[in-house]
Amino acid sequence: RNLLKALKPGKAALLFPGGAREVFKRKGEEYKLFWPAAPNLIRLAARSNATIIPFSGIGSDEFFASSILDTNDILGLPLVGDWFRERTKNLPSFVDDDVFVPPVPAPRFQGPRRNYFLFGEPISTVEINPQ
């Protein structure tokens, strides 16, 4: 419901198809995408005749040295895992196994790495059937 409000004409929304699941990767999941199989974000955009602007970010997998504790490690901790699960259980997502629990990163002594971003050409959804 809130997403549809954000997609009204004149409004802008930045959406990540992979959700928090793709941002907060587990150990060994570098460079992996977690996009849903069903095109639900496209359907939502088409319902509002929203314009999609493709966006890509490179470098986040190298930003920190590694994770001391990843999401699974944190969720497996007594009390702490239950606390996070309780607070995130009702967050909406299109991605399976999406839990908004950030990892505990190891510091990179030479400092964080660069990130690079690219925006593509806008894509109209006016002609797309939202069904």
Side-chain angles (χ1 to χ4, degrees):
R1 194 173 306 140
N2 288 336
L3 180 57
L4 285 174
K5 286 180 192 174
L7 293 175
K8 287 188 176 191
K11 300 287 186 178
L14 180 60
L15 307 174
F16 293 88
R21 179 68 185 89
E22 191 169 283
V23 174
F24 299 138
K25 295 178 180 173
R26 276 57 160 192
K27 293 174 186 169
E29 292 180 344
E30 296 83 4
Y31 313 110
K32 186 172 180 186
L33 297 177
F34 292 91
W35 291 14
N40 292 327
L41 287 175
I42 304 299
R43 286 188 184 112
L44 281 172
R47 280 178 55 190
S48 299
N49 291 329
T51 299
I52 296 172
I53 301 175
F55 167 83
S56 175
I58 298 172
S60 61
D61 286 340
E62 296 87 13
F63 196 74
F64 294 104
S66 63
S67 291
I68 296 171
L69 296 173
D70 68 12
T71 301
N72 288 343
D73 296 332
I74 294 169
L75 291 174
L77 293 172
L79 301 174
V80 175
D82 293 336
W83 186 86
F84 272 110
R85 258 190 291 289
E86 180 63 28
R87 276 145 190 84
T88 61
K89 69 181 179 185
N90 294 322
L91 293 175
S93 180
F94 293 111
V95 181
D96 291 335
D97 196 26
D98 194 9
V99 183
F100 196 81
V101 178
V104 177
R108 183 179 290 280
F109 295 108
Q110 20 341 18
R113 296 288 187 236
R114 290 184 182 199
N115 283 275
Y116 299 90
F117 302 100
L118 176 68
F119 291 87
E121 293 295 320
I123 302 168
S124 173
T125 61
V126 172
E127 301 294 323
I128 297 175
N129 181 346
Q131 304 305 321

